[in-house]
Amino acid sequence: RKEVEQDPGPFNVPEGATVAFNCTYSNSASQSFFWYRQDCRKEPKLLMSVYSSGNEDGRFTAQLNRASQYISLLIRDSKLSDSATYLCVVLRPPAAGNKLTFGGGTRVLVKP
Amino acid sequence: NAGVTQTPKFQVLKTGQSMTLQCAQDMNHNSMYWYRQDPGMGLRLIYYSASEGTTDKGEVPNGYNVSRLNKREFSLRLESAAPSQTSVYFCASSVSSGANVLTFGAGSRLTVL
């Protein structure tokens, strides 16, 4: 089992619609969680951190479910510019090296 | 406002050739990293340097060496390139090794024939 797993997609989303996708992680002691965004042939960039209580940043909402060991990202009112690959990133606990582990990414295509 | 700069952007090598990927950051970050990204695999850590003067292996270090030349620069060397090393390589930096936010360079696309 991969340490961090994501549905690779693509999720084809009509402009203006809502899309949501999850990421599962295997180490229950994982410390912190993030979503990075990667545009085609570009470098990853931090989109948002994921807090235990859930958090929003504009049209983006991130949730953490520790009991089921997954995080989610929801995008409301999708824009064409939201088309990208979204990388789930998990910080391993100190006993496992305290390093960031990346999922394979979920591709989102927003279409007019 | 350069951030993390890596060179070259593209490189084609023949099997057995050697090369060095260069990375420099101007954010006064202590920690630097080298990742490779392959389709469907996610980014995998090759080597990292928690601070100037230290380097450590990541998940996939075989076939690579690194040098933390100074606080700004962290290079990745392929001594004898193999087709399995065809990948996109990203350098990244963070304030410290425990920091959660990485700043990435633009990537280097390497093809080994």
Side-chain angles (χ1 to χ4, degrees):
Chain A
R1 182 185 174 189
K2 287 184 182 177
E3 201 168 337
V4 179
E5 290 200 77
Q6 297 183 249
D7 183 336
F11 285 64
N12 294 300
V13 186
E15 192 175 9
T18 296
V19 61
F21 41 89
N22 295 337
C23 160
T24 59
Y25 61 94
S26 61
N27 192 328
S28 60
S30 296
Q31 298 282 297
S32 305
F33 308 87
F34 310 89
W35 286 104
Y36 276 67
R37 171 197 168 122
Q38 186 173 26
D39 292 313
C40 189
R41 304 178 86 84
K42 299 282 191 180
E43 73 272 23
K45 293 183 179 179
L46 179 68
L47 177 67
M48 58 195 300
S49 301
V50 185
Y51 302 123
S52 296
S53 55
N55 50 298
E56 278 190 21
D57 184 359
R59 298 180 292 105
F60 296 82
T61 301
Q63 298 274 359
L64 167 63
N65 185 316
R66 281 196 184 271
S68 300
Q69 295 183 210
Y70 73 87
I71 65 172
S72 63
L73 182 65
L74 181 145
I75 308 173
R76 284 185 302 278
D77 188 23
S78 298
K79 311 292 184 191
L80 297 176
S81 57
D82 294 334
S83 295
T85 297
Y86 292 86
L87 305 176
C88 171
V89 185
V90 176
L91 181 65
R92 291 176 179 164
N98 204 37
K99 291 292 169 283
L100 294 173
T101 303
F102 287 75
T106 295
R107 192 168 170 218
V108 173
L109 295 173
V110 182
K111 301 188 174 179
Chain B
N1 200 15
V4 179
T5 304
Q6 21 177 147
T7 56
K9 284 189 167 33
F10 301 93
Q11 183 74 48
V12 178
L13 291 177
K14 293 181 180 177
T15 297
Q17 288 184 318
S18 62
M19 76 158 299
T20 300
L21 299 175
Q22 307 284 357
C23 175
Q25 52 92 8
D26 62 1
M27 298 172 287
N28 203 34
H29 284 173
N30 289 303
S31 301
M32 298 185 73
Y33 311 80
W34 276 105
Y35 288 88
R36 60 178 287 174
Q37 186 174 35
D38 302 293
M41 298 289 291
L43 280 91
R44 291 181 291 168
L45 184 62
I46 305 170
Y47 270 94
Y48 66 99
S49 171
S51 60
E52 186 179 356
T54 69
T55 60
D56 285 289
K57 295 178 180 179
E59 301 171 63
V60 288
N62 291 344
Y64 306 95
N65 286 300
V66 291
S67 295
R68 182 77 182 264
L69 304 168
N70 48 54
K71 189 170 185 178
R72 291 186 62 247
E73 298 173 287
F74 187 39
S75 63
L76 178 72
R77 182 161 179 83
L78 287 69
E79 290 291 352
S80 179
S84 60
Q85 294 178 304
T86 294
S87 189
V88 180
Y89 291 85
F90 288 100
C91 177
S93 69
S94 62
V95 170
S96 65
S97 61
N100 301 327
V101 178
L102 297 178
T103 301
F104 285 88
S108 299
R109 290 186 173 273
L110 174 65
T111 301
V112 183
L113 302 175

